[in-house]
Amino acid sequence: MVDSTPDSTPDSAPASSADSAAHPRFADALRRLGLDVEVRRFPDATRTAAEAAAAIGCELGQIVKSLVFEADGQPVVVLMDGASRVDVELVRHELGAGSVRRADAALVRETTGYAIGGVPPFGHRTRTRVLADRRLLDHATVWAAAGDPHTVFPLDPKSLIAHAEGALVDVRERSA
């Protein structure tokens, strides 16, 4: 279920995927998937989960971070809630990889077509394996980047994970 009610605050401007609020590659992905979602553009960047949650007015855990890692030389996208951190060792185990590390900015852009801080959960330049942390399902609606640091969109987490073709996993870092 997508909340399509326009936001009355002056800080954001709702727009459908047909309006060009989303990055063109992501807007094209939305059209190909038949998704009509509200894309909000903010005047200030929402590069971090905390910035996005503050701008939207939602809980930090409702933000979806699309993080790119390199596992044995291959890129993998991990979708994580904004309140949590990825446990790289759990990702390594999940993938059966020898080593996993955060991808650098060049690999993120090469793999996804987007810059860090604006990577959406799907609509990437190359087909990449996606792991989605199970904690995303704790919310009725989650918010993710729409291709640049100024845009976000809401979607129910099951649909988001399905469109990302993500495997549901437990890769969240546990608090001590």
Side-chain angles (χ1 to χ4, degrees):
M1 183 166 84
V2 175
D3 176 13
S4 59
T5 309
D7 185 356
S8 60
T9 64
D11 292 348
S12 68
S16 74
S17 60
D19 290 329
S20 55
H23 183 284
R25 174 178 286 111
F26 187 67
D28 185 53
L30 291 173
R31 279 190 293 278
R32 281 194 324 270
L33 292 168
L35 286 175
D36 184 20
V37 298
E38 171 192 17
V39 174
R40 290 189 188 177
R41 176 168 291 282
F42 293 93
D44 296 320
T46 54
R47 287 183 191 274
T48 68
E51 289 171 346
I56 295 162
C58 69
E59 295 175 28
L60 185 57
Q62 288 181 268
I63 301 299
V64 178
K65 299 185 290 191
S66 299
L67 305 169
V68 181
F69 290 83
E70 190 173 353
D72 292 342
Q74 297 298 311
V76 61
V77 175
V78 176
L79 305 179
M80 179 62 63
D81 75 272
S84 300
R85 295 175 50 98
V86 174
D87 184 323
V88 177
E89 183 59 24
L90 290 176
V91 172
R92 188 191 69 71
H93 183 266
E94 187 67 42
L95 296 172
S99 69
V100 174
R101 66 177 183 86
R102 283 294 284 267
D104 63 23
L107 182 60
V108 170
R109 188 176 287 279
E110 177 186 326
T111 300
T112 67
Y114 307 98
I116 293 172
V119 177
F122 50 84
H124 302 153
R125 174 180 287 153
T126 60
R127 187 167 175 81
T128 306
R129 186 164 183 187
V130 176
L131 302 178
D133 189 76
R134 190 174 308 281
R135 192 160 183 189
L136 291 171
L137 299 176
D138 289 351
H139 305 281
T141 301
V142 292
W143 293 81
D148 71 52
H150 294 273
T151 58
V152 295
F153 72 99
L155 199 60
D156 73 274
K158 285 183 181 178
S159 294
L160 183 135
I161 293 165
H163 289 300
E165 298 180 12
L168 203 55
V169 296
D170 292 306
V171 293
R172 179 176 53 91
E173 192 175 79
R174 304 295 190 251
S175 299

